[in-house]
């Protein structure tokens, strides 16, 4: 299995939402440009804003290096679109065998790792990294 590398997409606060390719008039396909030769996992930012980032992740037999855990500062919602993957959480200790259509919510600092992705088929994920919503202002006045 090939180790995967994770380079989180930096959030860009140029507008509330910015299309990563800065081209609002082009349609794109999430299953396009899937190379059979992938030395590393592909991570492509699709949308980015001040509170969240949406990424397409493509794996082909990639796994998290032994002894490494992801511990990200933002919440992450991940959906598996194609392929298969096994995701392990540190605490609570759980393993998930993900198939297309499965999604998982990972709170900020939830230690997790990719144990396996299909080496014969592309595993395509969407990952939404986001901040918690700020608390609502109190409607009560302090008199």
């Amino acid at each position: 299995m090939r180790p995967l590398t994770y380079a989180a997409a930096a959030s860009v606060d140029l507008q509330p939402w910015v299309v990563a390719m800065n081209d609002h008039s082009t349609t794109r396909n999430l299953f396009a440009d899937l190379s059979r030769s992938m030395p590393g996992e592909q991570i492509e930012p699709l949308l980015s804003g001040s509170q969240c980032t949406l990424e397409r992740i493509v794996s082909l037999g990639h796994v998290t290096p032994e002894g490494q855990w992801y511990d990200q500062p933002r919440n992450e919602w991940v959906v598996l679109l194609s392929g298969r993957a096994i995701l392990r959480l540190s605490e609570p200790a759980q393993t998930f065998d993900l198939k297309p259509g499965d999604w998982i919510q990972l709170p900020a600092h939830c230690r997790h790792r990719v144990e396996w992705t299909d080496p014969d088929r592309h595993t395509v994920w969407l990952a939404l990294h986001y901040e918690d919503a700020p608390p609502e202002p109190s409607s009560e006045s302090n008199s």
Side-chain angles (χ1 to χ4, degrees):
M1 292 187 184
R2 291 173 275 193
L4 59 89
T5 57
Y6 188 86
S11 184
V12 177
D13 192 15
L14 300 175
Q15 301 171 357
W17 288 97
V18 177
V19 174
M21 299 304 289
N22 293 325
D23 186 354
H24 299 279
S25 62
T26 302
T27 62
R28 299 184 61 210
N29 188 297
L30 291 170
F31 302 105
D33 303 322
L34 300 178
S35 172
R36 290 301 304 172
S37 172
M38 293 177 45
E41 186 174 55
Q42 295 176 349
I43 300 172
E44 176 186 7
L46 301 176
L47 294 172
S48 192
S50 62
Q51 297 295 312
C52 63
T53 301
L54 180 66
E55 301 169 330
R56 178 184 85 155
I57 302 170
V58 181
S59 308
L60 186 62
H62 298 97
V63 299
T64 306
E66 190 66 35
Q68 181 180 330
W69 293 86
Y70 296 121
D71 183 349
Q72 298 161 317
R74 298 169 106 186
N75 300 307
E76 183 177 10
W77 177 85
V78 181
V79 61
L80 194 86
L81 301 178
S82 68
R84 292 194 68 122
I86 296 175
L87 185 71
R88 179 180 303 277
L89 305 185
S90 173
E91 291 190 24
Q94 292 179 285
T95 302
F96 298 92
D97 185 353
L98 303 174
K99 59 188 180 311
D102 289 344
W103 60 271
I104 188 167
Q105 170 66 40
L106 302 169
H109 300 291
C110 173
R111 288 171 35 102
H112 62 283
R113 54 180 286 114
V114 178
E115 294 283 310
W116 178 86
T117 59
D118 193 329
D120 300 317
R121 293 180 41 200
H122 289 95
T123 298
V124 179
W125 324 63
L126 277 184
L128 178 66
H129 302 268
Y130 66 95
E131 305 286 336
D132 284 328
E136 295 281 330
S138 175
S139 61
E140 298 176 14
S141 61
N142 293 334
S143 306

